[in-house]
Amino acid sequence: MGPFKIADNIYWVGAVDWNIRDFHGYSTYEGSTYNAYLILDEKITLIDTVKDKLFDQFISNIRQVIDPRKIDIVISNHTEMDHTGSLPRFMHIIGKDKPIYCSKMGKKNLSLHFGDGFYYIPVADGDKLTIGKRELMFIETRMLHWPDSMFTYIPEEKILFSSDAFGEHYATSRRFDHEVDEDELFKQAKKYYANILLPYSNLVLKLFEKVKKLNLEFNMICPDHGVIWTKHIGKIIDLYVKWAEQKPTKKALVVYDTMWHSTEKMAETIGEALNKEDIEVKIMSLKSWHRSDIITELMDAGGLLVGSPTLNNSIFPTISDFLTYMKGLRPKNKLGAAFGSYGWSGEAPKKVEEILREANFEIIAPALKIQYVPNSNGLKQCEDLGKQMAEKLKKLN
Ligand code: FEO
C-alpha cells in the first residue's frame, strides 16, 4: 500500500501486514497494519515507524512523499517493536544525530532496545513542541499499554496520534473508518480492547477524565493499528468507556475442552440449562475457539463456567493456557464456576476453581466433578449448575 494523504501535509506512511495470524498470542485473522505518520512542516516530523520486517514498504512510502533525509524529527509514541522495529535502520538513513522525542520511560526503554547511540529527547506530560505552523502536544499515557506509551496531539487540526489506543488488528487497503465495513471494524476494535487494553481499564477511565478537563476535541484519531477514526469518533470513545467499566451483562460463557466427550456433555447440558432460563450463552470448546476470541466474548459476559477433564492429576493443557491468558487480562465483575469429568483422581475442577478465585471471580457453586461418563444423575447436577448461574445473572441490573 502506498502513502496516503490524510490531511493537508500529513501522510500515512505505514505498512499493511496482510498475512499475520498471530500477534504475541492474539489471533489476527484479519491481519494488521502498523501506522506511521509524516507531517510536512518547517520541521519535517515522523510519528512512529513499523515492524522491522516491513521496513521496505515503510521507507518506500516515505520516499514517494519526500527524501527521508529531509526528516528533522522523529516522535516515538511507544517502544514496542511493532512501532520501533524499523527505527534503527531508519535513523541510519536520516541521520543518527536527529532527535527522537519520546516519554521519559520511552528514553529508558528505547535505550534498552536499541542502545544509547541515538539522540533521545524525553518529554513530559503536557510538553509542547513547535514544528512550524503546528505545535505538537504530548500526553503521557503511562501503562496504556506500556510504561513508555504517550499520545501526540495537534491542537490546530484537532488530530490525535493515539499510539496503540483505539487500534484494531485489521488489514485493509482503506485508511478511514467510514470506508470499511462498520460491523467488522467494531468487532475488531472490541477484540483489540479485550486483548490489549482490558487490564488497564481503570487507567482508560482516568485518561478520559483528564482529556475532558483539557477540553481536547478530535477531528481525527490516528492509531498505530487499523483505520483512522473520523466518522465514528464519538461511538468508539463511548465504547471504550463501556468496555473499561466492564459492567456485567446477563450473558454466560461455557468454556471447556474434552478428552472422551464427557466434559463436553457436561458443558452442553450446562449451556442448555442457561438457555432454557433465557440467558444468552456461548458454548466454546478450546478445540475450536482461540483464547483471544473467548476473551472478547468474556469482556461483557457476567458469568463464566470452565470445564476441564483431569489429565495426569492436573488441568487439561488448553484450559491451563486459557486460564493463564485470561487471568493476566484481569477481567472484572464476573461470576464463575468449574466443572469436569475425571477417571480416578479428579483434581482439575477444583484447581480451575482456585484459579478463578485468584482472578477475583465470585464462585457461585462448588466445583462439579463427574467420574468417567455423566449418567442421568450427573447430567441433572450439570443442569442445576446452569440454573444456579442463570439465577445469579438474572439478579444483575
Ligand atoms: Fe502496537 Fe504495544 O504495540
Side-chain angles (χ1 to χ4, degrees), residues 204-270:
V204 170
L205 293 173
K206 278 186 190 158
L207 178 67
F208 283 127
E209 284 303 312
K210 179 173 149 181
V211 166
K212 247 188 221 168
K213 280 183 195 154
L214 289 171
N215 285 320
L216 299 187
E217 292 177 350
F218 307 117
N219 287 336
M220 205 179 271
I221 295 180
C222 305
D224 273 357
H225 298 286
V227 295
I228 294 164
W229 299 94
T230 53
K231 184 181 174 188
H232 299 300
I233 288 174
K235 184 171 172 183
I236 191 64
I237 289 176
D238 288 350
L239 282 169
Y240 261 54
V241 171
K242 180 183 157 191
W243 295 333
E245 285 174 342
Q246 294 191 62
K247 284 190 185 145
T249 65
K250 295 177 178 64
K251 167 182 163 185
L253 303 189
V254 184
V255 174
Y256 72 98
D257 207 334
T258 196
M259 291 166 68
W260 297 105
H261 303 292
S262 290
T263 303
E264 185 164 63
K265 276 183 192 153
M266 294 177 76
E268 284 169 356
T269 307
I270 292 166

Side-chain angles (χ1 to χ4, degrees), residues 147-160:
D148 47 71
S149 300
M150 68 175 194
F151 292 171
T152 300
Y153 180 66
I154 309 179
E156 290 82 1
E157 284 142 317
K158 299 186 173 125
I159 299 178
L160 180 73

Side-chain angles (χ1 to χ4, degrees), residues 78 80 82-83 145 164 225:
H78 177 29
E80 194 164 6
D82 46 337
H83 311 298
H145 69 127
D164 275 338
H225 298 286

Side-chain angles (χ1 to χ4, degrees), residues 18-37:
W18 294 101
N19 299 312
I20 185 170
R21 290 294 177 267
D22 176 88
F23 192 94
H24 57 49
Y26 167 160
S27 67
T28 47
Y29 304 128
E30 293 293 332
S32 192
T33 75
Y34 314 108
N35 300 335
Y37 301 96

Side-chain angles (χ1 to χ4, degrees), residues 88-274:
R89 270 205 275 175
F90 178 72
M91 294 311 293
H92 281 103
I93 290 174
I94 71 163
K96 275 182 70 182
D97 53 341
K98 300 244 174 105
I100 302 171
Y101 289 88
C102 53
S103 68
K104 196 173 160 198
M105 283 304 290
K107 179 177 184 326
K108 181 183 171 199
N109 288 353
L110 286 167
S111 300
L112 290 169
H113 280 72
F114 307 114
D116 293 323
F118 299 109
Y119 180 31
Y120 305 118
I121 301 183
V123 293
D125 185 44
D127 277 2
K128 290 175 180 163
L129 175 70
T130 301
I131 58 168
K133 287 182 194 151
R134 298 174 178 86
E135 186 180 56
L136 306 183
M137 181 172 123
F138 302 109
I139 302 167
E140 194 174 18
T141 57
R142 207 177 161 108
M143 292 319 299
L144 285 175
H145 69 127
W146 273 26
D148 47 71
S149 300
M150 68 175 194
F151 292 171
T152 300
Y153 180 66
I154 309 179
E156 290 82 1
E157 284 142 317
K158 299 186 173 125
I159 299 178
L160 180 73
F161 297 93
S162 63
S163 184
D164 275 338
F166 304 109
E168 326 91 49
H169 285 309
Y170 184 22
T172 164
S173 60
R174 303 295 171 184
R175 299 279 68 87
F176 289 109
D177 56 355
H178 57 85
E179 298 177 307
V180 298
D181 181 86
E182 197 175 324
D183 290 345
E184 187 63 35
L185 172 63
F186 283 100
K187 183 178 152 190
Q188 294 303 333
K190 182 180 179 185
K191 182 169 178 177
Y192 187 94
Y193 188 95
N195 285 276
I196 304 283
L197 295 168
L198 189 65
Y200 311 109
S201 289
N202 286 344
L203 295 175
V204 170
L205 293 173
K206 278 186 190 158
L207 178 67
F208 283 127
E209 284 303 312
K210 179 173 149 181
V211 166
K212 247 188 221 168
K213 280 183 195 154
L214 289 171
N215 285 320
L216 299 187
E217 292 177 350
F218 307 117
N219 287 336
M220 205 179 271
I221 295 180
C222 305
D224 273 357
H225 298 286
V227 295
I228 294 164
W229 299 94
T230 53
K231 184 181 174 188
H232 299 300
I233 288 174
K235 184 171 172 183
I236 191 64
I237 289 176
D238 288 350
L239 282 169
Y240 261 54
V241 171
K242 180 183 157 191
W243 295 333
E245 285 174 342
Q246 294 191 62
K247 284 190 185 145
T249 65
K250 295 177 178 64
K251 167 182 163 185
L253 303 189
V254 184
V255 174
Y256 72 98
D257 207 334
T258 196
M259 291 166 68
W260 297 105
H261 303 292
S262 290
T263 303
E264 185 164 63
K265 276 183 192 153
M266 294 177 76
E268 284 169 356
T269 307
I270 292 166
E272 191 48 39
L274 280 152

